[in-house]
Amino acid sequence: MENMKWWQKTLVYQVYPKSFADTTGSGTGDIRGILGKLDYLESLGIGAVWLTPVYPSPMVDNGYDIADYCSLDPAYGTMEDMEELIHEAKSHGIRIVMDLVYNHSSDQHPWFQESCRSRDNEKSDWYIWRDAKPDGTPPTNWRGIFGGSAWTWCKARRQYYLHTFASQQPDLNWENPKVRRALYNAANFWLEKGVGGFRIDAITYIKKPTEFLDGKPDAADGTVSIHDMTANTEGILEFLHEFRREVFDGHDIFTVAEANGVSPEELKDWVGEDGAFDMLFEFSHMNLQFPEGEIWCKEHPWKLTALKKALSDSQRATAQNGWYPIFFENHDQPRCVNQFFPQGGDRVLAAKAMAAVLLTLRGTPFVYEGQELGMSNVAWESMDCYDDISSHGQYALALQEGFSAEDALSFVHTYSRDNARTPMQWTAEKNAGFTTGTPWLPVHGDFAICNAETEGEDPDSVLNWYRKLSAWRQGKETLLCGSYEELLPEREDLYAFSRRLGTEEVYTIVNFSLHEVELPDIIPRGAKRVFGNYAEEKAGVLRGQEAVIYVVR
Ligand code: GLC
């Protein structure tokens, strides 16, 4: 415990600034909006706030297309606002964590503007340029992650450039030392401003293979996902170690990298004393429907044993070396109350059950805005209502694969990133208190009951459950640094695990099914039931979605 770092003993809260709190009536959130909510965040026991990108951006991918790494988009405020946020947050015990989007920039970034002008300008090899195939088609059959070819033709250069995501997000050429230097400088700029760490975006894609070859098609149009061709390419760790040396080393900060394509077994090379980062978001527990990285319409039913195995593998992989960021939501994922429970369940029970797991596993819990209220998915009736660029790409792919418009829309309902991006629900007033203007994305219809103010007054709300669990966790060494053991791994309805330190044990049991089951005989005699998401205990059974936490000494 004495050796633990500050960020291992706290909770991180993810703010999606566009949807968090609007102080100007513009319909989009801003930095001053976050400033106004620091007391709220403190009441949740938050020690760091990860801000998704707030840099100048054409907003094709809501800020993940950056046009300048060292300033602020005017829609969010000024650099002074940002400095004030970093400073004020600190006085609430909260550090601000910036998002580094370094696999690609916006096509509006001056670097790209220059790069695409000619084949021999100063920045001509800052991006990844290739000639067309002899017949004029793109250099390979790779499909971008948002759909469509991963290559876009540039008339001025008469060449294609590569983009892992949208065509407005050209991939930077990490092989060029000048590019790496420019990126490190930008991160150091933010360190000088006093930020508490970085979340590093889409990092597994920065290293490209030496040869660019066609891959085996996985979609009807003959394309293959670029993920399968470039994720986690050999040699990537050399870049990352340099990144660490040049930026992170010697600062009292944390780094957490988004690393789709790195498995729990590989974590040891990526995190810990000799790794490149402090923590890694890997997605083995989030991508259960898409075990091979399939497109949305090729979903598979998943089993609870698969979820448990993924979580337990990550717990084990980081038991001795490295540290685990526990998360069930972010701005790219559906809401966890929908994702992890069968349809027809109770939202509040589900939200509390997921919180029980989130706050009793070993690692640093990440709470995504609204998760602490039990916010849930939306299901809008037309694609016109959806903003998310990837939802539109996946919808088109589903149609191309032969699904009806109705089916394609139902995939969007389940998986759209807009599920997580609807405005934060503060009050039962108009627009959930998010804005006095017109919100950029519609507010979820349940805001009258699911909002911070109403929940704040209800001792049994999801919000107060989070507050209580978070405060309890903070003071409990067994949860912060005790060992982890999974119990009953073969059960398809229950997730049970224990945490142990010295003579103390904490047991968490969650019934992920909607029906009542017998309480298994795994809790030692004398154990005290300290939390339960049903008001009253019912002896000998676990009701549908019931979550219970016990402590025994
Ligand atoms: C990451 C971000 C996602 C973004 C993508 C491209 O996956 O989380 O929101 O669209 O990278 O930057």
PDB file of all heavy atoms in Angstrom, residues 365-385:
ATOM      1  N   PRO A 365     -10.472   1.999 -11.141  1.00  0.00           N
ATOM      2  CA  PRO A 365     -11.763   2.044 -11.822  1.00  0.00           C
ATOM      3  C   PRO A 365     -11.920   3.320 -12.649  1.00  0.00           C
ATOM      4  O   PRO A 365     -11.587   4.411 -12.185  1.00  0.00           O
ATOM      5  CB  PRO A 365     -12.787   2.043 -10.678  1.00  0.00           C
ATOM      6  CG  PRO A 365     -12.029   1.648  -9.455  1.00  0.00           C
ATOM      7  CD  PRO A 365     -10.623   2.085  -9.679  1.00  0.00           C
ATOM      8  N   PHE A 366     -12.410   3.185 -13.867  1.00  0.00           N
ATOM      9  CA  PHE A 366     -12.738   4.314 -14.735  1.00  0.00           C
ATOM     10  C   PHE A 366     -14.258   4.386 -14.841  1.00  0.00           C
ATOM     11  O   PHE A 366     -14.898   3.425 -15.248  1.00  0.00           O
ATOM     12  CB  PHE A 366     -12.130   4.124 -16.130  1.00  0.00           C
ATOM     13  CG  PHE A 366     -10.665   4.478 -16.194  1.00  0.00           C
ATOM     14  CD1 PHE A 366      -9.713   3.736 -15.505  1.00  0.00           C
ATOM     15  CD2 PHE A 366     -10.234   5.562 -16.955  1.00  0.00           C
ATOM     16  CE1 PHE A 366      -8.357   4.074 -15.562  1.00  0.00           C
ATOM     17  CE2 PHE A 366      -8.887   5.908 -17.024  1.00  0.00           C
ATOM     18  CZ  PHE A 366      -7.950   5.168 -16.325  1.00  0.00           C
ATOM     19  N   VAL A 367     -14.792   5.550 -14.486  1.00  0.00           N
ATOM     20  CA  VAL A 367     -16.240   5.762 -14.571  1.00  0.00           C
ATOM     21  C   VAL A 367     -16.485   6.726 -15.719  1.00  0.00           C
ATOM     22  O   VAL A 367     -15.874   7.801 -15.773  1.00  0.00           O
ATOM     23  CB  VAL A 367     -16.782   6.376 -13.259  1.00  0.00           C
ATOM     24  CG1 VAL A 367     -18.290   6.578 -13.345  1.00  0.00           C
ATOM     25  CG2 VAL A 367     -16.416   5.505 -12.061  1.00  0.00           C
ATOM     26  N   TYR A 368     -17.356   6.361 -16.611  1.00  0.00           N
ATOM     27  CA  TYR A 368     -17.663   7.231 -17.754  1.00  0.00           C
ATOM     28  C   TYR A 368     -18.879   8.094 -17.422  1.00  0.00           C
ATOM     29  O   TYR A 368     -19.856   7.593 -16.862  1.00  0.00           O
ATOM     30  CB  TYR A 368     -17.935   6.380 -18.999  1.00  0.00           C
ATOM     31  CG  TYR A 368     -18.318   7.229 -20.180  1.00  0.00           C
ATOM     32  CD1 TYR A 368     -17.369   8.025 -20.806  1.00  0.00           C
ATOM     33  CD2 TYR A 368     -19.629   7.279 -20.637  1.00  0.00           C
ATOM     34  CE1 TYR A 368     -17.711   8.851 -21.860  1.00  0.00           C
ATOM     35  CE2 TYR A 368     -19.983   8.101 -21.695  1.00  0.00           C
ATOM     36  CZ  TYR A 368     -19.015   8.887 -22.303  1.00  0.00           C
ATOM     37  OH  TYR A 368     -19.362   9.714 -23.344  1.00  0.00           O
ATOM     38  N   GLU A 369     -18.856   9.359 -17.799  1.00  0.00           N
ATOM     39  CA  GLU A 369     -19.931  10.282 -17.407  1.00  0.00           C
ATOM     40  C   GLU A 369     -21.327   9.673 -17.630  1.00  0.00           C
ATOM     41  O   GLU A 369     -21.621   9.145 -18.690  1.00  0.00           O
ATOM     42  CB  GLU A 369     -19.818  11.627 -18.140  1.00  0.00           C
ATOM     43  CG  GLU A 369     -19.998  11.547 -19.636  1.00  0.00           C
ATOM     44  CD  GLU A 369     -19.916  12.924 -20.310  1.00  0.00           C
ATOM     45  OE1 GLU A 369     -18.992  13.694 -20.028  1.00  0.00           O
ATOM     46  OE2 GLU A 369     -20.794  13.218 -21.133  1.00  0.00           O
ATOM     47  N   GLY A 370     -22.141   9.744 -16.597  1.00  0.00           N
ATOM     48  CA  GLY A 370     -23.503   9.208 -16.691  1.00  0.00           C
ATOM     49  C   GLY A 370     -23.616   7.763 -16.234  1.00  0.00           C
ATOM     50  O   GLY A 370     -24.694   7.301 -15.866  1.00  0.00           O
ATOM     51  N   GLN A 371     -22.497   7.049 -16.239  1.00  0.00           N
ATOM     52  CA  GLN A 371     -22.502   5.660 -15.766  1.00  0.00           C
ATOM     53  C   GLN A 371     -22.936   5.629 -14.300  1.00  0.00           C
ATOM     54  O   GLN A 371     -23.656   4.727 -13.866  1.00  0.00           O
ATOM     55  CB  GLN A 371     -21.094   5.072 -15.925  1.00  0.00           C
ATOM     56  CG  GLN A 371     -20.962   3.615 -15.531  1.00  0.00           C
ATOM     57  CD  GLN A 371     -19.543   3.089 -15.770  1.00  0.00           C
ATOM     58  OE1 GLN A 371     -18.698   3.759 -16.363  1.00  0.00           O
ATOM     59  NE2 GLN A 371     -19.272   1.882 -15.306  1.00  0.00           N
ATOM     60  N   GLU A 372     -22.500   6.664 -13.554  1.00  0.00           N
ATOM     61  CA  GLU A 372     -22.817   6.723 -12.124  1.00  0.00           C
ATOM     62  C   GLU A 372     -24.280   7.071 -11.871  1.00  0.00           C
ATOM     63  O   GLU A 372     -24.724   7.093 -10.732  1.00  0.00           O
ATOM     64  CB  GLU A 372     -21.868   7.719 -11.424  1.00  0.00           C
ATOM     65  CG  GLU A 372     -22.202   9.201 -11.608  1.00  0.00           C
ATOM     66  CD  GLU A 372     -21.737   9.784 -12.941  1.00  0.00           C
ATOM     67  OE1 GLU A 372     -21.465   9.009 -13.872  1.00  0.00           O
ATOM     68  OE2 GLU A 372     -21.680  11.027 -13.065  1.00  0.00           O
ATOM     69  N   LEU A 373     -25.022   7.370 -12.968  1.00  0.00           N
ATOM     70  CA  LEU A 373     -26.460   7.618 -12.828  1.00  0.00           C
ATOM     71  C   LEU A 373     -27.254   6.423 -13.338  1.00  0.00           C
ATOM     72  O   LEU A 373     -28.468   6.363 -13.188  1.00  0.00           O
ATOM     73  CB  LEU A 373     -26.870   8.853 -13.643  1.00  0.00           C
ATOM     74  CG  LEU A 373     -26.104  10.155 -13.374  1.00  0.00           C
ATOM     75  CD1 LEU A 373     -26.555  11.245 -14.339  1.00  0.00           C
ATOM     76  CD2 LEU A 373     -26.320  10.609 -11.932  1.00  0.00           C
ATOM     77  N   GLY A 374     -26.552   5.502 -13.984  1.00  0.00           N
ATOM     78  CA  GLY A 374     -27.231   4.376 -14.619  1.00  0.00           C
ATOM     79  C   GLY A 374     -27.822   4.752 -15.964  1.00  0.00           C
ATOM     80  O   GLY A 374     -28.858   4.234 -16.369  1.00  0.00           O
ATOM     81  N   MET A 375     -27.162   5.681 -16.673  1.00  0.00           N
ATOM     82  CA  MET A 375     -27.682   6.061 -17.998  1.00  0.00           C
ATOM     83  C   MET A 375     -27.657   4.856 -18.940  1.00  0.00           C
ATOM     84  O   MET A 375     -26.805   3.988 -18.832  1.00  0.00           O
ATOM     85  CB  MET A 375     -26.888   7.250 -18.570  1.00  0.00           C
ATOM     86  CG  MET A 375     -27.328   8.586 -17.965  1.00  0.00           C
ATOM     87  SD  MET A 375     -26.381  10.020 -18.558  1.00  0.00           S
ATOM     88  CE  MET A 375     -26.853  10.097 -20.292  1.00  0.00           C
ATOM     89  N   SER A 376     -28.633   4.839 -19.856  1.00  0.00           N
ATOM     90  CA  SER A 376     -28.789   3.665 -20.721  1.00  0.00           C
ATOM     91  C   SER A 376     -28.793   4.062 -22.203  1.00  0.00           C
ATOM     92  O   SER A 376     -28.801   5.250 -22.538  1.00  0.00           O
ATOM     93  CB  SER A 376     -30.079   2.928 -20.355  1.00  0.00           C
ATOM     94  OG  SER A 376     -31.167   3.823 -20.409  1.00  0.00           O
ATOM     95  N   ASN A 377     -28.821   3.057 -23.070  1.00  0.00           N
ATOM     96  CA  ASN A 377     -28.776   3.279 -24.528  1.00  0.00           C
ATOM     97  C   ASN A 377     -30.015   4.016 -25.040  1.00  0.00           C
ATOM     98  O   ASN A 377     -31.083   3.942 -24.418  1.00  0.00           O
ATOM     99  CB  ASN A 377     -28.728   1.930 -25.252  1.00  0.00           C
ATOM    100  CG  ASN A 377     -27.357   1.283 -25.169  1.00  0.00           C
ATOM    101  OD1 ASN A 377     -26.408   1.875 -24.655  1.00  0.00           O
ATOM    102  ND2 ASN A 377     -27.258   0.059 -25.672  1.00  0.00           N
ATOM    103  N   VAL A 378     -29.845   4.639 -26.186  1.00  0.00           N
ATOM    104  CA  VAL A 378     -30.993   5.237 -26.878  1.00  0.00           C
ATOM    105  C   VAL A 378     -31.330   4.370 -28.094  1.00  0.00           C
ATOM    106  O   VAL A 378     -30.515   3.539 -28.503  1.00  0.00           O
ATOM    107  CB  VAL A 378     -30.692   6.673 -27.362  1.00  0.00           C
ATOM    108  CG1 VAL A 378     -30.699   7.634 -26.201  1.00  0.00           C
ATOM    109  CG2 VAL A 378     -29.366   6.748 -28.117  1.00  0.00           C
ATOM    110  N   ALA A 379     -32.506   4.537 -28.660  1.00  0.00           N
ATOM    111  CA  ALA A 379     -32.865   3.801 -29.881  1.00  0.00           C
ATOM    112  C   ALA A 379     -33.672   4.747 -30.752  1.00  0.00           C
ATOM    113  O   ALA A 379     -34.899   4.759 -30.723  1.00  0.00           O
ATOM    114  CB  ALA A 379     -33.673   2.553 -29.529  1.00  0.00           C
ATOM    115  N   TRP A 380     -32.971   5.579 -31.522  1.00  0.00           N
ATOM    116  CA  TRP A 380     -33.675   6.570 -32.338  1.00  0.00           C
ATOM    117  C   TRP A 380     -34.196   5.909 -33.607  1.00  0.00           C
ATOM    118  O   TRP A 380     -33.628   4.934 -34.109  1.00  0.00           O
ATOM    119  CB  TRP A 380     -32.730   7.737 -32.647  1.00  0.00           C
ATOM    120  CG  TRP A 380     -32.364   8.495 -31.398  1.00  0.00           C
ATOM    121  CD1 TRP A 380     -33.202   8.809 -30.360  1.00  0.00           C
ATOM    122  CD2 TRP A 380     -31.081   9.016 -31.043  1.00  0.00           C
ATOM    123  NE1 TRP A 380     -32.516   9.494 -29.385  1.00  0.00           N
ATOM    124  CE2 TRP A 380     -31.212   9.647 -29.776  1.00  0.00           C
ATOM    125  CE3 TRP A 380     -29.834   9.027 -31.666  1.00  0.00           C
ATOM    126  CZ2 TRP A 380     -30.147  10.265 -29.128  1.00  0.00           C
ATOM    127  CZ3 TRP A 380     -28.772   9.648 -31.027  1.00  0.00           C
ATOM    128  CH2 TRP A 380     -28.929  10.272 -29.775  1.00  0.00           C
ATOM    129  N   GLU A 381     -35.287   6.515 -34.139  1.00  0.00           N
ATOM    130  CA  GLU A 381     -35.998   5.783 -35.188  1.00  0.00           C
ATOM    131  C   GLU A 381     -35.401   5.917 -36.582  1.00  0.00           C
ATOM    132  O   GLU A 381     -35.777   5.169 -37.482  1.00  0.00           O
ATOM    133  CB  GLU A 381     -37.476   6.192 -35.213  1.00  0.00           C
ATOM    134  CG  GLU A 381     -37.666   7.671 -35.463  1.00  0.00           C
ATOM    135  CD  GLU A 381     -39.061   8.137 -35.038  1.00  0.00           C
ATOM    136  OE1 GLU A 381     -39.711   7.416 -34.259  1.00  0.00           O
ATOM    137  OE2 GLU A 381     -39.452   9.209 -35.524  1.00  0.00           O
ATOM    138  N   SER A 382     -34.457   6.843 -36.752  1.00  0.00           N
ATOM    139  CA  SER A 382     -33.893   6.991 -38.087  1.00  0.00           C
ATOM    140  C   SER A 382     -32.399   7.279 -37.989  1.00  0.00           C
ATOM    141  O   SER A 382     -31.920   7.884 -37.014  1.00  0.00           O
ATOM    142  CB  SER A 382     -34.628   8.133 -38.795  1.00  0.00           C
ATOM    143  OG  SER A 382     -33.746   8.882 -39.575  1.00  0.00           O
ATOM    144  N   MET A 383     -31.687   6.896 -39.034  1.00  0.00           N
ATOM    145  CA  MET A 383     -30.244   7.152 -39.072  1.00  0.00           C
ATOM    146  C   MET A 383     -29.947   8.654 -39.067  1.00  0.00           C
ATOM    147  O   MET A 383     -28.862   9.069 -38.666  1.00  0.00           O
ATOM    148  CB  MET A 383     -29.607   6.507 -40.302  1.00  0.00           C
ATOM    149  CG  MET A 383     -29.289   5.046 -40.170  1.00  0.00           C
ATOM    150  SD  MET A 383     -28.412   4.622 -38.646  1.00  0.00           S
ATOM    151  CE  MET A 383     -26.778   5.274 -38.953  1.00  0.00           C
ATOM    152  N   ASP A 384     -30.930   9.453 -39.480  1.00  0.00           N
ATOM    153  CA  ASP A 384     -30.715  10.904 -39.495  1.00  0.00           C
ATOM    154  C   ASP A 384     -30.451  11.449 -38.096  1.00  0.00           C
ATOM    155  O   ASP A 384     -29.834  12.496 -37.933  1.00  0.00           O
ATOM    156  CB  ASP A 384     -31.956  11.629 -40.043  1.00  0.00           C
ATOM    157  CG  ASP A 384     -32.207  11.246 -41.480  1.00  0.00           C
ATOM    158  OD1 ASP A 384     -31.255  10.742 -42.118  1.00  0.00           O
ATOM    159  OD2 ASP A 384     -33.349  11.429 -41.951  1.00  0.00           O
ATOM    160  N   CYS A 385     -30.948  10.744 -37.086  1.00  0.00           N
ATOM    161  CA  CYS A 385     -30.755  11.224 -35.705  1.00  0.00           C
ATOM    162  C   CYS A 385     -29.341  10.946 -35.221  1.00  0.00           C
ATOM    163  O   CYS A 385     -28.898  11.510 -34.224  1.00  0.00           O
ATOM    164  CB  CYS A 385     -31.715  10.541 -34.749  1.00  0.00           C
ATOM    165  SG  CYS A 385     -33.421  10.640 -35.249  1.00  0.00           S
TER     166      CYS A 385
END
